[in-house]
Amino acid sequence: MVSFEMNDVKKIGLGLTGFGVFFSFLGVIFFFDKGLIAMGNILFFSGVTLTIGLKSSMQFFTKRANYKGTISFGAGFFLVIIGWPILGIILEAYGFVVLFSGFWPTLAVFLQKIPILGWVFQQPYIRSFFDRYRGKRVPV
């Protein structure tokens, strides 16, 4: 049975994931600084691993449906390390979208329930966009 309790390891994992996103954002803001982007990638990946567990991470990244996203993200990380941060970030962004595309329906429901911002996402033309992609794939 999967445990949804928030223990200390998951809290650290969420913190590392947040810092990873923050450092990657800073790397892009500071004209694609490869050091900040690489540090953000390492923190993001380690945070996801700590949050959902090592076994679940391995199953998620090595699932046949996620090969394209995993290879794109890994190749983008390699390009950032060797000194091509712009091309690396583009490849990583593509890999991120492919890997986590199963979570977009959950994110859409969450955004629609936010008190003030949810009103924007409940408009018919935006809601039809979200409904088009709802239920296509299970994330894990």
Side-chain angles (χ1 to χ4, degrees), residues 41 44-50 52-74 95-96 98-100 103 137 139-140:
N41 288 337
F44 177 78
F45 184 71
S46 62
V48 167
T49 303
L50 284 176
I52 66 174
L54 185 61
K55 184 178 178 183
S56 296
S57 296
M58 291 301 293
Q59 288 176 348
F60 177 72
F61 288 109
T62 59
K63 194 163 50 168
R64 187 159 188 74
N66 293 341
Y67 280 163
K68 192 182 343 180
T70 301
I71 291 170
S72 298
F73 194 81
F96 182 81
V98 170
L99 274 173
F100 296 103
F103 293 103
R137 210 177 115 190
V140 180

Side-chain angles (χ1 to χ4, degrees), residues 7-138:
N7 58 15
D8 289 338
V9 174
K10 289 182 181 179
K11 289 177 187 176
I12 292 170
L14 286 174
L16 288 176
T17 303
F19 277 120
V21 170
F22 177 69
F23 275 97
S24 295
F25 176 73
L26 278 181
V28 171
I29 293 298
F30 291 137
F31 302 110
F32 293 94
D33 181 36
K34 69 178 181 178
L36 286 172
I37 294 171
M39 195 174 354
N41 288 337
I42 292 169
L43 289 171
F44 177 78
F45 184 71
S46 62
V48 167
T49 303
L50 284 176
T51 302
I52 66 174
L54 185 61
K55 184 178 178 183
S56 296
S57 296
M58 291 301 293
Q59 288 176 348
F60 177 72
F61 288 109
T62 59
K63 194 163 50 168
R64 187 159 188 74
N66 293 341
Y67 280 163
K68 192 182 343 180
T70 301
I71 291 170
S72 298
F73 194 81
F77 180 70
F78 178 73
L79 288 175
V80 167
I81 294 295
I82 64 170
W84 293 355
I86 296 173
L87 188 60
I89 280 289
I90 292 170
L91 205 54
E92 283 180 0
Y94 172 74
F96 182 81
V97 168
V98 170
L99 274 173
F100 296 103
S101 62
F103 293 103
W104 299 131
T106 305
L107 181 65
V109 170
F110 173 74
L111 289 175
Q112 289 175 354
K113 293 190 183 290
I114 294 176
I116 296 170
L117 189 64
W119 177 81
V120 174
F121 289 105
Q122 290 177 359
Q123 297 304 313
Y125 49 92
I126 296 176
R127 189 175 197 144
S128 68
F129 176 75
F130 283 141
D131 289 343
R132 187 178 324 153
Y133 297 108
R134 183 169 293 160
K136 294 259 181 173
R137 210 177 115 190
V138 178

